[in-house]
Amino acid sequence: MVIRRFLSVANTRNGVTRSPLLSFMDELIHSSLTTKDVCSSLGRYCDSLQKRWMSKSKRVQDRSKNKRIHDLEIATEKWKVVSKILFIMDILRKEPEEIIPLRSLEQYRQQISLSKPHKVSDFVRKSPKLFDLYKDKRGVAWCGFTEQAENLIEEEGRLIEENNEKAVEHVTRLLMMSVKKRLPLDKIAHFRRDFGLKCDFRKKWIHMFPEHFRVVTIDDSEYLELNCWNPSWAITELERKTMPEKISEPSSPGILRLSFPMKFPPNFKKIFGDGGKVRYFQKRPYLSPYADARELTPGSEEFNKRAVAVMHEILSFTIEKRLVTDHLTHFRQEFMMPQKLMRLLLKHYGIFYVSERGKRFSVFLTEAYEGSQLISKCPLVLWKEKILSLTGYRGRKRGIKSFNEYSDLYKGDLFEGELNNHGTFSSLEEEENMGTLKEPALVEDSEMDVGDLYDAYKDI
């Protein structure tokens, strides 16, 4: 009787007249089970309810496949291929003669997310236009660059030099946004390729611009510290686009009232008719990423919207307008961003898009893309596309039809006859995806739930 009264009160408070739990208890009470058996059954039932509640998680990997943007998933897949190739190229460049025994590459299997029993040597062999393989007199296989790859490496060096001025500006602006106006060098290293920095930027590059920043040592750790505040650089990319007059007449950073550009797939439903929650967020004023934010209360509306502005600004600095989310979360303390940064990224769907393909998630600035292509491509992005065009990877055949968008693509599959019957990357992909994401296939004609978007915004 006590159990029945407790359950009745609990269900009345929840506005429920009859629940599965109450029905379940009816069966137990009218059965011939002992008290011990009843408690045991009730415990198992509560465990099942807990699992059901946990399954409603808002994590990225639990997101419906229908909410994925097919075009940006294609962009992610392309980036993953290029990143693996560039990693191998960086390994070779660190060698004194830019050659390495082929078997020595096997130790980097984890870094390029290559599943066993497939070998790194098989991966390298599928890019014969970039990597030259040969055996010495003792029969030891070696890997080096082809002449075409060497020319591309020289070209990258020239492009990085040409991008130097912009890289200095972006690194300086990162320091200007940080709370203490300094950042750990180890963390800046994560942005090296995203910002177009030299491979050995820590040895020489960081000491070449004392008018902007300097290296300091604190508790045996090296930091890059701002040396001089530049008012003309304390203007957000959004301000530069919408109010170009501010560039010539910079003022102290303060409150901004600019809306963030939002972009959705063509099959996304109209969003501005359900209570105006998104419109309310866009009209809400916020503090500039370059202003002092130490007085803001963590978790407040002002705090969260400034965090969106900081993430928007950092992504705008990158050459591909895309980052691995790990690289953003590393800077939560330095840029005063919330602990649940991923949740904030997911809430602001339309400004950002998070792809969960692989072990490491990627976040895109949606306004910078048209389909799967960057709207504005800098020379370093075009250089990466040349690298992609010389690899043997054509993409997964299910969900993504083909990456063969370049006339010079190698016609073979990446792991011919070894990965699977289709010769694609699917076996590798299965290991890379997060545990709960069982099926990574893409949906071309997906329809996104607008209600979910508003449910996310209402708690901001």
Side-chain angles (χ1 to χ4, degrees):
M1 181 63 68
V2 174
I3 295 177
R4 287 185 60 85
R5 288 193 177 186
F6 169 78
L7 292 174
S8 298
V9 172
N11 283 294
T12 302
R13 286 181 179 178
N14 291 327
V16 180
T17 57
R18 190 76 176 175
S19 72
L21 179 57
L22 191 56
S23 300
F24 176 73
M25 288 304 303
D26 274 335
E27 295 177 9
L28 290 180
I29 292 170
H30 291 95
S31 68
S32 59
L33 296 176
T34 65
T35 303
K36 182 178 180 180
D37 292 334
V38 170
C39 292
S40 177
S41 299
L42 182 60
R44 287 195 298 271
Y45 184 83
C46 291
D47 286 342
S48 67
L49 285 179
Q50 183 181 14
K51 290 180 181 178
R52 235 176 287 170
W53 292 331
M54 289 175 66
S55 68
K56 295 180 180 180
S57 168
K58 296 291 185 180
R59 295 184 307 162
V60 187
Q61 57 265 45
D62 294 333
R63 181 180 55 186
S64 167
K65 291 182 294 184
N66 292 336
K67 293 181 182 178
R68 297 180 187 160
I69 300 181
H70 180 73
D71 289 331
L72 293 183
E73 295 293 345
I74 290 179
T76 302
E77 201 69 29
K78 289 180 180 180
W79 168 79
K80 284 168 57 182
V81 180
V82 175
S83 67
K84 297 178 196 300
I85 295 294
L86 293 179
F87 181 84
I88 299 296
M89 293 178 72
D90 284 344
I91 295 300
L92 287 174
R93 293 168 69 174
K94 292 177 182 178
E95 295 295 316
E97 297 182 12
E98 295 189 340
I99 58 173
I100 189 173
L102 199 54
R103 64 175 177 269
S104 297
L105 290 176
E106 296 300 326
Q107 63 183 301
Y108 301 106
R109 177 196 302 275
Q110 184 177 0
Q111 284 89 330
I112 63 172
S113 302
L114 189 60
S115 59
K116 292 183 178 180
H118 312 298
K119 300 178 180 179
V120 178
S121 57
D122 296 324
F123 180 86
V124 172
R125 285 191 179 99
K126 289 305 177 180
S127 296
K129 296 182 180 181
L130 294 173
F131 303 113
D132 189 16
L133 306 179
Y134 63 93
K135 291 184 178 180
D136 60 17
K137 295 180 180 179
R138 296 176 297 173
V140 178
W142 292 76
C143 176
F145 290 122
T146 63
E147 183 178 352
Q148 192 169 8
E150 290 176 348
N151 292 336
L152 283 170
I153 291 172
E154 292 180 4
E155 180 184 350
E156 183 193 25
R158 293 194 299 270
L159 295 177
I160 288 177
E161 287 293 339
E162 294 172 4
N163 185 64
N164 220 11
E165 185 176 337
K166 186 60 68 175
V168 171
E169 176 185 339
H170 288 161
V171 170
T172 304
R173 290 169 71 180
L174 276 182
L175 298 174
M176 292 168 63
M177 284 193 294
S178 64
V179 177
K180 297 183 179 180
K181 306 302 180 266
R182 62 171 179 259
L183 296 171
L185 272 177
D186 288 338
K187 293 186 178 182
I188 295 177
H190 293 312
F191 288 143
R192 184 183 72 79
R193 282 201 178 277
D194 300 306
F195 278 42
L197 301 176
K198 292 183 176 181
C199 186
D200 58 347
F201 81 101
R202 299 181 67 161
K203 294 181 180 179
K204 185 179 178 181
W205 187 85
I206 56 176
H207 302 285
M208 293 172 57
F209 309 97
E211 68 276 20
H212 298 298
F213 41 71
R214 62 188 174 189
V215 179
V216 296
T217 303
I218 302 175
D219 296 332
D220 297 327
S221 297
E222 288 188 320
Y223 290 77
L224 197 63
E225 187 174 71
L226 183 69
N227 213 20
C228 182
W229 181 274
N230 189 336
S232 63
W233 285 353
I235 303 172
T236 65
E237 292 296 307
L238 200 53
E239 289 177 276
R240 292 165 187 262
K241 291 179 181 178
T242 57
M243 299 185 295
E245 67 277 2
K246 289 198 68 174
I247 300 176
S248 56
E249 298 179 5
S251 57
S252 299
I255 299 297
L256 298 178
R257 291 178 171 80
L258 300 174
S259 297
F260 295 100
M262 302 181 74
K263 181 177 286 188
F264 301 94
N267 55 347
F268 196 86
K269 298 176 182 179
K270 297 289 185 180
I271 66 170
F272 291 105
D274 187 10
K277 296 182 179 68
V278 176
R279 192 181 309 161
Y280 169 72
F281 169 80
Q282 291 282 35
K283 289 184 177 181
R284 186 189 309 152
Y286 58 97
L287 195 63
S288 168
Y290 299 97
D292 188 352
R294 284 174 289 187
E295 298 299 323
L296 294 180
T297 303
S300 65
E301 293 182 350
E302 296 80 8
F303 182 89
N304 287 336
K305 187 159 186 180
R306 178 193 170 274
V308 171
V310 170
M311 291 185 287
H312 185 281
E313 190 75 348
I314 294 175
L315 286 169
S316 298
F317 294 164
T318 63
I319 62 175
E320 294 179 278
K321 314 306 178 213
R322 178 207 55 79
L323 272 177
V324 173
T325 54
D326 292 352
H327 296 173
L328 279 175
T329 56
H330 286 328
F331 288 97
R332 283 182 298 215
Q333 184 176 357
E334 286 83 358
F335 292 124
M336 286 194 64
M337 293 193 289
Q339 286 296 316
K340 297 181 179 180
L341 187 59
M342 181 64 71
R343 183 182 179 187
L344 197 65
L345 289 169
L346 289 173
K347 280 183 177 181
H348 297 284
Y349 187 88
I351 301 174
F352 312 110
Y353 174 73
V354 179
S355 170
E356 74 272 24
R357 297 182 70 80
K359 290 181 179 178
R360 307 173 75 187
F361 299 161
S362 297
V363 57
F364 290 81
L365 192 61
T366 56
E367 68 189 78
Y369 281 80
E370 189 64 50
S372 63
Q373 298 294 323
L374 265 173
I375 296 174
S376 178
K377 297 180 181 181
C378 73
L380 283 170
V381 172
L382 296 175
W383 179 86
K384 282 189 174 183
E385 292 185 348
K386 287 183 183 179
I387 295 294
L388 179 63
S389 71
L390 297 174
T391 66
Y393 181 43
R394 292 192 301 163
R396 301 183 62 207
K397 293 183 179 179
R398 180 173 58 180
I400 299 177
K401 295 181 179 179
S402 175
F403 286 124
N404 195 9
E405 299 177 2
Y406 308 97
S407 60
D408 200 26
L409 267 179
Y410 181 68
K411 300 302 180 184
D413 288 325
L414 181 59
F415 290 102
E416 188 172 11
E418 287 204 31
L419 280 187
N420 52 44
N421 295 331
H422 304 291
T424 66
F425 237 2
S426 58
S427 295
L428 171 61
E429 191 66 36
E430 286 173 6
E431 179 170 291
E432 286 189 353
N433 278 277
M434 301 297 289
T436 57
L437 191 64
K438 296 181 179 179
E439 178 52 65
L442 304 179
V443 181
E444 293 201 31
D445 297 320
S446 60
E447 182 168 305
M448 303 181 185
D449 190 348
V450 181
D452 287 351
L453 177 66
Y454 282 109
D455 288 341
Y457 269 102
K458 69 182 180 181
D459 296 327
I460 297 176

